[in-house]
Amino acid sequence: MARIRIGDILLSKALINENQVKIALIQQKITGELFGDAIVKLGFVSSKELGQALAEQAGMEYIDLSQYPISEDALKLIPKEVAEGTGFIPIELVDGRLKIGVTNPSNILAIDKVVSLTRTQPKVYMVDPDNFRESLEKGYFFLENPIEQNRNKIIGEIKEAGTAGGTEVTSLTDMLFMDGIRQHATDIHITPASDIIHIFYRIDGVLRYGYALPRVVLSGIVSRIKILSKLDIAETRLPQDGSFTYEFLNKKYDIRVSTVPTIYGENVVMRILAGTGALLRIGTLGFDEQSEKEIRRLFQKPYGVILIAGPTGSGKTTTLYAALREINILERNVITVEDPVEYKLSMVRQTQVNEKAGYDFAFAARNFMRQDPDVMLIGEIRDEETAAIAIRTSITGHLVLSTIHTNDAVTSIPRLLDLKVDKFLMSSSLLAIIAQRLARKICTFCKTSYRLNDDEKKLFQDFGMSVENVFKGEGCSKCNNVGYSGRIVIGEILVIDDELRDLIFADVPVTALQSAAVKKGMVTLKGDGLRKVAQGIISLEELNRITG
């Protein structure tokens, strides 16, 4: 039986179209690369989507290494040079049998090598090339360089000497970054106290305590971070902001730095921006089927403004780019200005804010009109000028996409009015506001059910649901004993129709807008979250944490 071609699998799943296949084949002829590599490089599919398609083609099971922690016991069984040279990654040891990941389903050599080393037949899974390389490098690096052990050794030496030299300070600072990257943290907090320094990491949206360092290293670590960020090391009385690029295992991370003076010394917060992330699709974010259809319909509109609302770290940019992939970028000229560029999309003209050069959102948006755009993505509406330009651009026949920092969809309207946007222009140009949060998913390995009390049952009844039992995570080694693994979107979509336009123009209260939207069928953030609790995806505790 003939094997189904990879292109046909991707076409059958509507992940690519015929035009994209033609372009990939043109690129393939010029570069000589494999068809799969060409479509990933062009940005038509992600590395993960290709890996899943290859797994289906070969009749194998796929494992997403970004969501699956690699076991140190498995790594210890196979030397790095063997795994790298043979093209497989040890994943986990279960009942004496090794699970391995391969990027090539025909890799018989990997199976033979594992059998010769472990005397047992491995269980083989398909993994995607990007996650394979990153997981292999990180897994063996941290196996050979145990951070906690090395850090404790340096701390012991500092305590014994009573002082910290340049080498110790450099090592501890690097460990701060490496530990953050290892744990997929988005932020690192260095918080001084009277006699110690506390280190916190924000992981999956929650601040977690990391460890403590001797007070004596504070000035050295802060100075090193300031030097890297090109900040004034002599200025300790005023807040400062800067950034630098940190390279680790052949991958570059943009680090945004903020320092603030406190009574115990300078507090430092660093945001880790992991360069280009994996491209996602609307269907993988967590919106329900009806919301997915609505988002796809909205992003096909020829003109108007679509806003994604939510606080910092709520996944607004990810949703914006996932929805942007629904636009036919071969027929429509898409141009963006971002701060920074988080995802690279082929065939999209992307630019990055440069405040020092005077290139901000407003300046870019003004000049984009000369670039013959169909769709304009403005990273964030943060001032009056940007808001006014976005509205005016949409009225002249362009689709404008942006983000705004508000708590929910309806409160974005008074926020725009606060930015001096004309009521009539706003009501006539707004297509929709999508508000969202990121909720931590219950760990599938330690998921357990429990019975709701009467007050909790009533909460569901108020939203028209009858629920007796829900789930939570007990905590296990797979999820670092927190009970959660990965995140999912909970969202609400406010579609602006004629009735809501009239209400906006009439300057009615926010509560009246909310009531009108709910009557028309809008599912609120809380309602969408409760649905996901009932489905066993998120816990009630997590929903209360993010929505109140």
Side-chain angles (χ1 to χ4, degrees), residues 308-506:
I308 313 284
T312 302
S314 58
K316 298 186 295 296
T317 305
T318 301
T319 298
L320 205 53
Y321 264 92
L324 195 60
R325 294 183 78 190
E326 301 299 325
I327 293 171
N328 187 345
I329 54 178
L330 296 176
E331 294 180 2
R332 300 174 80 183
N333 181 18
V334 181
I335 187 163
T336 80
V337 57
E338 304 162 66
D339 183 24
V341 172
E342 290 183 43
Y343 300 90
K344 287 181 183 172
L345 269 183
S346 183
M347 310 289 179
V348 172
R349 294 79 181 161
Q350 295 175 270
T351 70
Q352 189 160 301
V353 164
N354 186 340
E355 300 281 1
K356 288 179 182 174
Y359 186 66
D360 58 13
F361 289 125
F363 184 84
R366 277 198 308 273
N367 287 276
F368 278 179
M369 296 305 290
R370 302 189 192 102
Q371 288 284 311
D372 184 32
D374 295 297
V375 181
M376 190 186 295
L377 187 152
I378 302 168
E380 184 188 337
I381 291 179
R382 58 170 71 152
D383 55 46
E384 292 176 17
E385 191 179 4
T386 310
I389 291 166
I391 298 295
R392 284 194 211 109
T393 303
S394 70
I395 287 168
T396 55
H398 303 85
L399 183 64
V400 178
L401 317 171
S402 192
T403 68
I404 191 164
H405 281 78
T406 55
N407 285 327
D408 55 34
V410 174
T411 53
S412 300
I413 291 163
R415 172 65 181 140
L416 287 169
L417 293 173
D418 185 48
L419 291 172
K420 307 289 190 296
V421 172
D422 181 85
K423 260 190 300 185
F424 173 74
L425 293 179
M426 178 176 68
S427 61
S428 58
S429 63
L430 261 183
L431 289 174
I433 303 166
I434 303 165
Q436 66 177 61
R437 296 287 189 282
L438 286 178
R440 293 178 295 170
K441 292 191 290 185
I442 299 168
C443 172
T444 54
F445 295 99
C446 58
K447 187 174 179 179
T448 183
S449 69
Y450 68 95
R451 195 168 181 80
L452 294 172
N453 62 39
D454 291 341
D455 289 339
E456 290 168 336
K457 284 179 191 174
K458 187 177 181 306
L459 181 62
F460 285 92
Q461 287 163 5
D462 291 343
F463 283 83
M465 288 181 265
S466 178
V467 179
E468 296 287 332
N469 297 294
V470 294
F471 293 85
K472 64 179 181 180
E474 290 284 353
C476 65
S477 60
K478 290 277 196 308
C479 61
N480 286 324
N481 295 309
V482 294
Y484 300 100
S485 179
R487 290 193 285 178
I488 193 170
V489 161
I490 63 166
E492 62 183 19
I493 303 173
L494 176 67
V495 178
I496 312 295
D497 61 7
D498 290 340
E499 185 187 334
L500 287 173
R501 283 192 183 93
D502 292 342
L503 290 173
I504 292 168
F505 188 63

Side-chain angles (χ1 to χ4, degrees), residues 255-293:
I255 313 281
R256 300 288 179 91
V257 178
S258 170
T259 69
V260 171
T262 72
I263 56 171
Y264 295 120
E266 287 183 280
N267 193 87
V268 181
V269 176
M270 293 176 284
R271 167 147 289 198
I272 304 172
L273 299 165
T276 47
L279 288 169
L280 298 174
R281 292 186 189 268
I282 285 297
T284 62
L285 298 178
F287 290 102
D288 61 46
E289 193 177 337
Q290 187 58 41
S291 297
E292 278 179 43
K293 284 180 184 173

